[in-house]
Amino acid sequence: MPEINGSAHEVNGTNGANGVNGANGAGPRPRSLTLVPVTSVKQTTKDFKSDQEVRWCPGCGDYAILAAFQAFLPELQVPRENLVIVSGIGCSSRLPYYVDSYGLHSIHGRAPAIATGLAATRPDLSIWVITGDGDALSIGGNHLIHALRRNVNIKILLFNNRIYGLTKGQYSPTSEQGKVTKSTPFGSVDTPFNPVSLALGAEASFVARTIDSDRKHLTSVLRAAADHKGAALIEIYQNCPIFNDDAFLPVTDPSTRDDRLIRLEHGQPVRFGPAGSRGLRFSRYGSLEDVDATTADESSLLVHDAHAADPSYAFALSRLDTSDFAHSPIGILRSVERPSYDDLMNEQIAVARERQGEGDLAALLAGGDTWHVS
Ligand code: SF4
Ligand code: MG
């Protein structure tokens, strides 16, 4: 655990406005951290490695995500005692053990609810939720969608390996139809969730997707999420070599990757395929179609707009992705500004206090109709 009073983590006070440079002379601090103290100590990856032995299977994609996350954290310039990582249950949810910060390995599916409580009451914390496809989308589905629609200032990393790994290989809410596992010996008959579509349907203000093996891309998405004030959902394709190896091969294998992966960059034309020869354009009913960009009318081709106010566009992008990875958009699909839940709640409390004074909980509980049960 971090030294709260030790000199190693002196705190410089908060950065009261967007774009204020951090104490380490680095660039502007992320906007989600406006009320979070700035450390005056130069941090490195090592500062965020705990003394716990990392216990995932050899070759698990979780190692790459953990390494990228630990290497990214110094950018935040947050004292470790102001960093909290909340997880649910599952392989990925072991991550808080391995980061030298405060952390909770909490209850199955409830990490977004616990993180919501923290964010609402402690604006001085940088809060990250670690979850998996089973944890977030099965038992935790309800908590996830409400944290997103409320726009709580938390960053949610959803490790999607399309399987239940910790319980040894049952099909999960993102497993493809027909998936043969121990719990579906004749193949899954369930239609899987597309986590990005689900998040967009839940009114998420920031939705992105990345891949465990692409550290540069993963780090860029973490950076963008940290800069977003409100709830950010990042789906991370994560390989589980033990129970679902090569689940993402079509988008990681160099022989197929360029045809399938659509790398989105705000303000840039959407291009993919051999030498960027494929593009996207809208077709009937607002869906998107893959076209030959070398012959198509340039003005009909899509230029990515992550800030489009209407989520229909981001949703259309998300629907390009099928279980067999016909096209798989990665990057920031949607990033729009709207007030965060914690800010709105605290503003409302401040106004109520101003009008009515400090509350009296005992008086409130005893006020109105009360009954004595004998
Ligand atoms: Fe990783 Fe899969 Fe092992 Fe879990 S079961 S630690 S996801 S390789
Ligand atoms: Mg899983």
Side-chain angles (χ1 to χ4, degrees):
M1 283 296 165
E3 314 96 358
I4 293 177
N5 298 317
S7 59
H9 287 90
E10 280 169 44
V11 169
N12 241 13
T14 57
N15 60 336
N18 293 346
V20 173
N21 281 350
N24 294 336
R29 289 194 83 218
R31 285 174 298 165
S32 72
L33 304 177
T34 305
L35 298 173
V36 180
V38 184
T39 181
S40 60
V41 175
K42 186 164 177 55
Q43 298 168 324
T44 66
T45 305
K46 212 168 141 223
D47 292 315
F48 293 96
K49 289 186 176 177
S50 77
D51 59 0
Q52 298 299 298
E53 183 192 353
V54 183
R55 297 171 108 188
W56 286 311
C57 307
C60 178
D62 291 359
Y63 286 99
I65 302 170
L66 173 66
F69 187 52
Q70 286 168 323
F72 159 73
L73 286 172
E75 283 189 27
L76 300 180
Q77 304 169 61
V78 168
R80 289 181 298 181
E81 54 270 27
N82 291 79
L83 175 70
V84 185
I85 302 165
V86 186
S87 67
I89 297 295
C91 294
S92 58
S93 288
R94 295 187 59 79
L95 191 140
Y97 294 133
Y98 309 135
V99 179
D100 198 4
S101 69
Y102 282 108
L104 288 94
H105 186 182
S106 74
I107 314 168
H108 205 359
R110 271 64 176 176
I114 292 165
T116 295
L118 264 180
T121 52
R122 291 288 305 270
D124 60 323
L125 301 179
S126 172
I127 302 166
W128 296 75
V129 169
I130 306 295
T131 184
D133 44 314
D135 187 58
L137 301 173
S138 187
I139 192 168
N142 200 29
H143 298 285
L144 179 75
I145 58 175
H146 293 292
L148 293 175
R149 80 174 168 88
R150 286 175 174 148
N151 204 30
V152 183
N153 191 25
I154 56 177
K155 315 301 156 212
I156 304 170
L157 312 190
L158 195 167
F159 294 31
N160 181 10
N161 54 18
R162 293 180 156 195
I163 201 82
Y164 278 96
L166 188 71
T167 48
K168 305 201 183 311
Q170 298 82 11
Y171 80 116
S172 85
T174 55
S175 297
E176 64 276 18
Q177 210 168 34
K179 182 85 180 166
V180 174
T181 69
K182 289 165 188 162
S183 57
T184 51
F186 302 109
S188 161
V189 295
D190 292 17
T191 297
F193 270 138
N194 174 328
V196 167
S197 297
L198 182 80
L200 291 165
E203 305 290 349
S205 58
F206 182 104
V207 186
R209 178 188 285 132
T210 186
I211 304 178
D212 58 2
S213 54
D214 188 340
R215 181 160 176 170
K216 194 173 164 204
H217 190 267
L218 173 51
T219 305
S220 71
V221 170
L222 290 174
R223 192 175 291 130
D227 198 39
H228 179 74
K229 174 76 174 161
L233 185 284
I234 304 174
E235 179 193 10
I236 307 174
Y237 286 163
Q238 177 248 316
N239 195 41
C240 168
I242 304 300
F243 296 112
N244 203 18
D245 197 18
D246 288 339
F248 303 102
L249 201 60
V251 291
T252 54
D253 188 293
S255 67
T256 51
R257 185 180 57 199
D258 293 345
D259 286 338
R260 312 292 186 101
L261 264 193
I262 302 176
R263 293 177 177 274
L264 301 170
E265 280 182 47
H266 178 72
Q268 295 299 314
V270 180
R271 294 287 186 276
F272 57 100
S277 60
R278 310 298 301 176
L280 295 174
R281 74 176 172 209
F282 280 105
S283 63
R284 294 181 73 197
Y285 309 121
S287 60
L288 290 168
E289 62 180 1
D290 168 359
V291 293
D292 183 345
T294 61
T295 56
D297 173 8
E298 179 80 25
S299 66
S300 70
L301 295 175
L302 210 64
V303 174
H304 183 48
D305 182 3
H307 307 319
D310 188 329
S312 307
Y313 160 63
F315 192 77
L317 276 173
S318 78
R319 302 317 289 172
L320 289 166
D321 190 22
T322 52
S323 283
D324 60 354
F325 303 100
H327 299 94
S328 200
I330 63 167
I332 299 153
L333 281 89
R334 175 171 165 82
S335 175
V336 295
E337 303 276 335
R338 65 183 172 91
S340 69
Y341 176 82
D342 24 305
D343 279 354
L344 290 173
M345 190 193 86
N346 287 313
E347 277 168 30
Q348 193 176 61
I349 290 171
V351 170
R353 273 207 176 106
E354 205 176 295
R355 282 189 195 146
Q356 295 168 256
E358 284 296 328
D360 181 339
L361 182 61
L364 178 70
L365 292 175
D369 293 336
T370 57
W371 294 268
H372 289 283
V373 179
S374 56

Coordinates of all heavy atoms in Angstrom, one line a residue, residues 161-207:
N161 N -12.5 -12.0 -23.4 CA -11.8 -13.2 -24.0 C -12.9 -14.2 -24.5 O -12.5 -15.3 -24.9 CB -10.9 -13.9 -23.0 CG -11.5 -14.2 -21.7 OD1 -12.7 -14.2 -21.6 ND2 -10.7 -14.4 -20.7
R162 N -14.1 -13.8 -24.5 CA -15.2 -14.6 -25.0 C -15.3 -16.0 -24.4 O -15.7 -16.9 -25.0 CB -15.1 -14.8 -26.5 CG -15.2 -13.5 -27.3 CD -15.0 -13.8 -28.8 NE -15.7 -12.9 -29.7 CZ -15.9 -13.1 -31.0 NH1 -15.6 -14.2 -31.5 NH2 -16.5 -12.2 -31.7
I163 N -15.0 -16.0 -23.1 CA -15.1 -17.3 -22.4 C -15.1 -17.0 -20.9 O -14.6 -15.9 -20.4 CB -13.9 -18.2 -22.7 CG1 -14.1 -19.7 -22.5 CG2 -12.6 -17.8 -22.0 CD1 -14.9 -20.4 -23.6
Y164 N -15.6 -18.0 -20.1 CA -15.3 -17.9 -18.6 C -14.0 -18.6 -18.4 O -13.9 -19.9 -18.5 CB -16.4 -18.6 -17.8 CG -17.7 -17.7 -17.6 CD1 -18.8 -17.8 -18.5 CD2 -17.8 -16.8 -16.6 CE1 -19.9 -17.1 -18.3 CE2 -18.9 -16.0 -16.4 CZ -19.9 -16.2 -17.3 OH -21.1 -15.4 -17.1
G165 N -13.0 -17.9 -18.0 CA -11.6 -18.5 -17.8 C -11.5 -19.0 -16.4 O -11.0 -20.2 -16.3
L166 N -11.8 -18.2 -15.4 CA -11.5 -18.6 -14.0 C -12.2 -19.9 -13.7 O -11.7 -20.7 -12.9 CB -12.0 -17.5 -13.1 CG -11.6 -17.7 -11.6 CD1 -10.1 -17.5 -11.5 CD2 -12.3 -16.7 -10.7
T167 N -13.4 -20.1 -14.2 CA -14.2 -21.3 -13.9 C -14.0 -22.5 -14.9 O -14.7 -23.4 -15.0 CB -15.7 -21.0 -13.8 OG1 -16.1 -20.3 -14.9 CG2 -16.0 -20.2 -12.5
K168 N -12.9 -22.3 -15.7 CA -12.4 -23.3 -16.6 C -13.2 -23.6 -17.9 O -13.4 -24.7 -18.2 CB -12.1 -24.6 -15.8 CG -11.2 -24.4 -14.6 CD -10.6 -25.6 -14.1 CE -9.7 -25.4 -12.9 NZ -8.8 -24.3 -12.9
G169 N -13.6 -22.5 -18.5 CA -14.0 -22.7 -19.9 C -15.4 -22.9 -20.3 O -15.7 -23.6 -21.2
Q170 N -16.3 -22.2 -19.6 CA -17.7 -22.2 -20.0 C -18.0 -21.1 -21.0 O -17.3 -20.1 -21.0 CB -18.7 -22.1 -18.9 CG -18.6 -23.2 -17.8 CD -17.4 -23.0 -16.9 OE1 -16.8 -21.9 -16.8 NE2 -17.1 -24.0 -16.1
Y171 N -19.0 -21.2 -21.8 CA -19.3 -20.1 -22.8 C -19.8 -18.9 -22.0 O -20.4 -19.0 -20.9 CB -20.3 -20.5 -23.8 CG -21.8 -20.5 -23.4 CD1 -22.7 -19.7 -24.0 CD2 -22.2 -21.4 -22.4 CE1 -24.0 -19.7 -23.6 CE2 -23.6 -21.4 -22.0 CZ -24.5 -20.5 -22.6 OH -25.8 -20.5 -22.2
S172 N -19.5 -17.7 -22.6 CA -19.8 -16.4 -21.9 C -20.8 -15.6 -22.7 O -21.1 -16.0 -23.8 CB -18.5 -15.6 -21.7 OG -18.2 -14.8 -22.8
P173 N -21.2 -14.5 -22.2 CA -22.2 -13.7 -23.0 C -21.6 -13.1 -24.3 O -22.3 -12.6 -25.1 CB -22.5 -12.5 -22.1 CG -22.2 -13.0 -20.7 CD -21.0 -13.9 -20.9
T174 N -20.3 -13.2 -24.5 CA -19.7 -12.8 -25.8 C -19.2 -14.0 -26.7 O -18.7 -13.7 -27.8 CB -18.5 -11.8 -25.6 OG1 -17.6 -12.4 -24.8 CG2 -19.0 -10.5 -25.0
S175 N -19.4 -15.2 -26.2 CA -19.0 -16.3 -27.0 C -19.9 -16.4 -28.3 O -21.1 -16.1 -28.2 CB -19.2 -17.7 -26.3 OG -18.4 -17.7 -25.1
E176 N -19.3 -16.8 -29.4 CA -20.1 -16.8 -30.6 C -21.1 -18.0 -30.6 O -20.9 -19.0 -29.9 CB -19.1 -17.0 -31.8 CG -18.3 -18.3 -31.9 CD -17.0 -18.2 -31.0 OE1 -16.9 -17.4 -30.1 OE2 -16.2 -19.1 -31.2
Q177 N -22.2 -17.8 -31.4 CA -23.2 -18.9 -31.4 C -22.5 -20.1 -32.0 O -21.7 -20.1 -32.9 CB -24.3 -18.4 -32.3 CG -25.6 -19.0 -32.0 CD -26.8 -18.3 -32.7 OE1 -26.6 -17.9 -33.9 NE2 -27.9 -18.2 -32.1
G178 N -22.9 -21.3 -31.4 CA -22.3 -22.5 -31.9 C -21.0 -22.9 -31.1 O -20.5 -24.0 -31.3
K179 N -20.6 -22.0 -30.2 CA -19.4 -22.3 -29.4 C -19.5 -23.6 -28.6 O -20.5 -23.7 -27.8 CB -19.2 -21.1 -28.5 CG -17.9 -21.2 -27.6 CD -16.8 -20.7 -28.4 CE -15.5 -20.8 -27.7 NZ -14.3 -20.5 -28.6
V180 N -18.6 -24.5 -28.8 CA -18.6 -25.7 -28.0 C -17.7 -25.6 -26.8 O -16.5 -25.3 -26.9 CB -18.1 -26.9 -28.9 CG1 -18.0 -28.2 -28.1 CG2 -19.1 -27.1 -30.1
T181 N -18.3 -25.7 -25.6 CA -17.6 -25.6 -24.4 C -18.1 -26.7 -23.5 O -19.0 -27.5 -23.8 CB -17.8 -24.3 -23.7 OG1 -19.1 -24.2 -23.2 CG2 -17.5 -23.1 -24.6
K182 N -17.5 -26.8 -22.3 CA -18.0 -27.8 -21.3 C -19.4 -27.6 -21.0 O -20.1 -28.6 -20.7 CB -17.1 -27.7 -20.0 CG -15.7 -28.2 -20.3 CD -14.8 -27.8 -19.1 CE -13.4 -28.1 -19.5 NZ -12.4 -27.4 -18.6
S183 N -19.9 -26.4 -21.0 CA -21.3 -26.2 -20.6 C -22.2 -26.1 -21.9 O -23.4 -26.0 -21.7 CB -21.4 -24.9 -19.8 OG -20.9 -23.8 -20.5
T184 N -21.6 -26.1 -23.0 CA -22.4 -26.1 -24.3 C -21.8 -27.2 -25.2 O -21.3 -26.9 -26.3 CB -22.4 -24.8 -25.0 OG1 -21.0 -24.3 -25.1 CG2 -23.2 -23.7 -24.2
P185 N -22.0 -28.5 -24.8 CA -21.3 -29.6 -25.6 C -21.8 -29.7 -27.0 O -21.1 -30.2 -27.9 CB -21.6 -30.8 -24.8 CG -22.8 -30.5 -23.9 CD -22.7 -29.0 -23.6
F186 N -23.0 -29.2 -27.3 CA -23.5 -29.3 -28.7 C -23.5 -27.9 -29.3 O -24.1 -27.7 -30.4 CB -24.9 -29.8 -28.7 CG -25.0 -31.2 -28.1 CD1 -25.6 -31.4 -26.8 CD2 -24.4 -32.3 -28.7 CE1 -25.6 -32.6 -26.2 CE2 -24.4 -33.5 -28.1 CZ -25.0 -33.7 -26.9
G187 N -22.8 -26.9 -28.7 CA -22.7 -25.6 -29.3 C -23.7 -24.6 -28.6 O -24.8 -25.0 -28.3
S188 N -23.2 -23.4 -28.3 CA -24.1 -22.4 -27.7 C -25.2 -22.0 -28.7 O -24.9 -21.8 -29.9 CB -23.2 -21.2 -27.4 OG -24.1 -20.1 -27.2
V189 N -26.4 -21.9 -28.1 CA -27.5 -21.4 -29.0 C -27.8 -19.9 -28.7 O -28.7 -19.3 -29.3 CB -28.8 -22.2 -28.7 CG1 -28.6 -23.7 -29.2 CG2 -29.2 -22.2 -27.3
D190 N -27.0 -19.3 -27.8 CA -27.2 -17.9 -27.4 C -26.7 -16.9 -28.5 O -25.6 -17.2 -29.1 CB -26.5 -17.5 -26.1 CG -27.0 -18.2 -24.9 OD1 -27.7 -19.2 -25.1 OD2 -26.7 -17.8 -23.8
T191 N -27.4 -15.9 -28.7 CA -26.8 -14.8 -29.5 C -25.9 -13.9 -28.6 O -26.3 -13.5 -27.5 CB -28.0 -13.9 -30.0 OG1 -28.8 -14.6 -30.9 CG2 -27.4 -12.7 -30.8
P192 N -24.7 -13.7 -29.0 CA -23.8 -13.0 -28.1 C -24.0 -11.5 -28.1 O -24.6 -10.9 -29.0 CB -22.4 -13.2 -28.7 CG -22.7 -13.5 -30.2 CD -24.0 -14.2 -30.2
F193 N -23.6 -10.9 -27.0 CA -23.6 -9.4 -26.9 C -22.4 -8.9 -27.7 O -21.3 -9.5 -27.7 CB -23.3 -9.0 -25.4 CG -24.6 -8.8 -24.6 CD1 -24.6 -9.2 -23.3 CD2 -25.7 -8.1 -25.1 CE1 -25.7 -9.0 -22.5 CE2 -26.8 -7.9 -24.4 CZ -26.8 -8.4 -23.1
N194 N -22.6 -7.7 -28.3 CA -21.5 -6.9 -28.8 C -21.3 -5.8 -27.7 O -22.2 -4.9 -27.6 CB -21.9 -6.3 -30.2 CG -20.9 -5.4 -30.7 OD1 -20.2 -4.7 -30.0 ND2 -20.8 -5.3 -32.0
P195 N -20.2 -5.9 -27.0 CA -20.1 -4.9 -25.8 C -20.1 -3.5 -26.2 O -20.7 -2.6 -25.5 CB -18.7 -5.3 -25.2 CG -18.5 -6.7 -25.6 CD -19.1 -6.8 -27.0
V196 N -19.6 -3.2 -27.4 CA -19.6 -1.8 -27.9 C -21.0 -1.3 -28.2 O -21.5 -0.2 -27.8 CB -18.6 -1.6 -29.1 CG1 -18.9 -0.3 -29.8 CG2 -17.2 -1.8 -28.6
S197 N -21.8 -2.2 -28.9 CA -23.2 -1.8 -29.2 C -24.0 -1.7 -27.9 O -24.8 -0.8 -27.8 CB -23.8 -2.9 -30.1 OG -23.2 -3.0 -31.3
L198 N -23.7 -2.6 -27.0 CA -24.5 -2.5 -25.7 C -24.2 -1.2 -25.0 O -25.1 -0.6 -24.5 CB -24.0 -3.7 -24.8 CG -24.8 -3.8 -23.5 CD1 -26.1 -4.4 -23.7 CD2 -24.0 -4.6 -22.5
A199 N -22.9 -0.8 -24.9 CA -22.5 0.4 -24.2 C -23.2 1.6 -24.9 O -23.7 2.5 -24.3 CB -21.0 0.5 -24.2
L200 N -23.2 1.6 -26.2 CA -23.8 2.7 -27.0 C -25.3 2.8 -26.7 O -25.9 3.9 -26.5 CB -23.5 2.6 -28.5 CG -22.0 2.8 -28.9 CD1 -21.8 2.3 -30.3 CD2 -21.7 4.3 -28.7
G201 N -25.9 1.6 -26.7 CA -27.3 1.6 -26.4 C -27.6 2.0 -25.0 O -28.8 2.5 -24.7
A202 N -26.7 1.9 -24.1 CA -26.8 2.4 -22.7 C -26.4 3.9 -22.5 O -26.3 4.3 -21.4 CB -26.0 1.5 -21.8
E203 N -26.3 4.6 -23.6 CA -26.0 6.0 -23.6 C -24.6 6.4 -23.1 O -24.4 7.5 -22.6 CB -27.1 6.8 -22.7 CG -28.5 6.6 -23.1 CD -28.9 7.2 -24.4 OE1 -28.1 8.0 -24.9 OE2 -30.0 6.9 -24.9
A204 N -23.7 5.5 -23.3 CA -22.3 5.8 -22.9 C -21.8 7.0 -23.7 O -22.0 7.1 -24.9 CB -21.4 4.5 -23.1
S205 N -21.0 7.8 -23.0 CA -20.5 9.0 -23.6 C -19.1 8.7 -24.2 O -18.6 9.5 -25.0 CB -20.4 10.2 -22.6 OG -19.6 9.8 -21.5
F206 N -18.5 7.6 -23.8 CA -17.1 7.3 -24.3 C -17.1 5.8 -24.5 O -17.3 5.0 -23.5 CB -16.0 7.7 -23.4 CG -14.6 7.5 -23.9 CD1 -13.8 8.5 -24.5 CD2 -14.1 6.2 -23.9 CE1 -12.6 8.2 -25.0 CE2 -12.8 5.9 -24.4 CZ -12.1 6.9 -24.9
V207 N -16.9 5.3 -25.7 CA -16.8 3.9 -26.0 C -15.6 3.7 -26.9 O -15.5 4.3 -28.0 CB -18.1 3.4 -26.6 CG1 -18.0 1.8 -26.8 CG2 -19.3 3.7 -25.8

